[in-house]
Amino acid sequence: MQALTVAPDRKNSLRLDTLPDPEPGEGELLVDGLAVGVCGTDLEIVSGGHGAPPPDRERLVIGHESLGRVRQAPPDSGWVPGDLVVGVVRRPDPVPCGACAHGYFDMCRNGMFTERGIKGLDGYASTSWTVEADYAVRLDPGLEHVGVLMEPATVVAKAWDQVERIGGRSWFAPHSVLVTGAGPIGLLAALLGRQRGLEVHVLDRAESGPKPELVRRLGAEYHCEDAERVMERVRPDVVIEATGAAPVVFGVMSAMDPYGVLCLTGLSPAGRTLEVDAGYLNRELVLDNSAVVGSVNANRRHYAAAAAALAEADRGWLDALITRRVPLESFAQAFERRPDDVKTVIELTRH
């Protein structure tokens, strides 16, 4: 098989290797890889700033945004050859912590979890791969061209789950949501907001290109203004933050309405300073019963929710979200940032 591998502690070590074909173990599916998505985490791994190979190995097969087709399945597994499949990214730690022991491996407390293509386990950027049937998720057959969006959709499915759980501590009937950032996470968060019947607003810096049109096609409103100004005018009940830009994070945090819920999904770079009136911020959050929560990764139920959301979505809109499709032999192009990129996908096989 062919696979994209990297030495996580070295810059620019990404290469296409020929590796032995995988042999499925007991209870595992053998899968033909169709596509893999490229995100900021992958770019960070390739640049040498993140990631860890499997034990006693120097190189890691990257790729956590998977899409494949089952070639071989164990009897009585519920899977058959030809099924469209996505592999779950995270695995619980071996200790396990209390959260992992209760099935909440996305909430691991001690950091000993592993992640396919990121930390301690090979990923899905290969022409064939194996996955435990218990960590495989079936997709609607009609999603073959866009199912690679599944993993980022799980991230926002979890974000919405967190928002609704927190809002449910009292009467909660949200009318509107502001999503900050119109990358794949932000746009999929907006999609799930529209599927919930909410008035959706999306804030991003891009004034042209595909992002404004993708938002309008959802029936949502696109904004390019200062975050605090948009907050004052829109007065959203929910904010899903997907930029990680500190001025945006604190801008929306300081302008939340009473009982507002802010879910942070973007990672901010460390080492930069920002002047914040912490006293004012604390006072407003307390007096308004507002809540701020961080959310990362996803659990099995979020994969199921994401699969349902993608199956319900307009296929043309999902396809437009993928702005570049790169063949495996031209993989280096997928790791180049281009101005109009929304989602870049590497096609592992021609299909």
Side-chain angles (χ1 to χ4, degrees):
M1 70 172 185
Q2 290 188 299
L4 289 175
T5 74
V6 65
D9 58 346
R10 297 208 308 266
K11 289 184 178 180
N12 303 317
S13 64
L14 181 67
R15 71 189 187 204
L16 183 60
D17 285 339
T18 299
L19 302 177
D21 291 336
E23 293 289 338
E26 184 177 356
E28 289 189 330
L29 310 177
L30 178 61
V31 178
D32 292 318
L34 296 179
V36 65
V38 177
C39 75
T41 298
D42 299 301
L43 294 173
E44 191 175 356
I45 292 171
V46 169
S47 70
H50 190 54
D56 303 320
R57 289 252 307 276
E58 178 184 338
R59 300 190 70 82
L60 168 76
V61 177
I62 65 167
H64 58 280
E65 298 183 0
S66 64
L67 179 66
R69 190 176 299 284
V70 175
R71 185 198 310 173
Q72 179 182 320
D76 303 321
S77 66
W79 292 87
V80 296
D83 281 346
L84 203 60
V85 62
V86 164
V88 174
V89 176
R90 185 173 288 194
R91 301 292 183 276
D93 69 82
V95 174
C97 71
C100 287
H102 287 83
Y104 293 94
F105 51 83
D106 57 321
M107 297 290 197
C108 182
R109 303 293 200 272
N110 60 20
M112 294 177 64
F113 59 84
T114 52
E115 291 178 319
R116 296 285 300 257
I118 301 174
K119 179 188 175 187
L121 291 174
D122 279 334
Y124 301 108
S126 57
T127 51
S128 59
W129 40 270
T130 60
V131 63
E132 310 94 313
D134 289 344
Y135 288 91
V137 181
R138 183 182 286 103
L139 285 185
D140 183 291
L143 292 171
E144 178 177 352
H145 202 56
V146 295
V148 72
L149 297 171
M150 174 71 162
E151 194 279 337
T154 70
V155 173
V156 298
K158 178 180 176 179
W160 276 108
D161 178 43
Q162 297 297 299
V163 166
E164 289 161 354
R165 285 170 177 254
I166 292 167
R169 73 196 192 274
S170 178
W171 174 77
F172 189 52
H175 170 72
S176 62
V177 57
L178 172 65
V179 178
T180 54
I185 296 294
L187 289 168
L188 289 168
L191 168 68
L192 268 65
R194 288 293 295 149
Q195 289 181 342
R196 284 162 168 76
L198 300 179
E199 176 187 296
V200 175
H201 299 263
V202 178
L203 170 66
D204 195 90
R205 293 183 301 177
E207 297 183 4
S208 59
K211 293 179 178 180
E213 180 60 24
L214 281 164
V215 171
R216 295 186 189 105
R217 285 176 61 180
L218 273 181
E221 186 173 348
Y222 190 83
H223 304 267
C224 288
E225 305 167 63
D226 175 80
E228 291 178 77
R229 186 175 302 171
V230 175
M231 287 288 291
E232 290 171 3
R233 187 170 72 255
V234 172
R235 305 188 71 83
D237 305 294
V238 175
V239 179
I240 295 183
E241 207 296 305
T243 69
V248 177
V249 171
F250 285 98
V252 296
M253 195 182 299
S254 64
M256 292 170 63
D257 265 14
Y259 206 74
V261 181
L262 165 60
C263 184
L264 305 176
T265 67
L267 292 176
S268 302
R272 299 180 182 178
T273 59
L274 181 69
E275 187 172 322
V276 176
D277 188 340
Y280 170 82
L281 192 58
N282 178 75
R283 179 183 178 87
E284 293 302 302
L285 290 173
V286 171
L287 292 179
D288 286 343
N289 284 301
S290 298
V292 180
V293 61
S295 181
V296 69
N297 205 261
N299 211 319
R300 278 300 304 261
R301 69 179 183 277
H302 306 125
Y303 277 80
L310 292 183
E312 181 186 336
D314 178 80
R315 305 292 162 83
W317 186 86
L318 292 174
D319 187 51
L321 197 63
I322 301 173
T323 45
R324 278 201 298 143
R325 297 178 183 271
V326 178
L328 180 58
E329 59 269 22
S330 304
F331 67 90
Q333 297 176 15
F335 295 86
E336 301 169 357
R337 291 183 180 271
R338 299 186 182 179
D340 286 341
D341 280 346
V342 178
K343 188 65 188 175
T344 301
V345 166
I346 299 173
E347 295 187 326
L348 301 172
T349 56
R350 299 291 186 180
H351 61 95

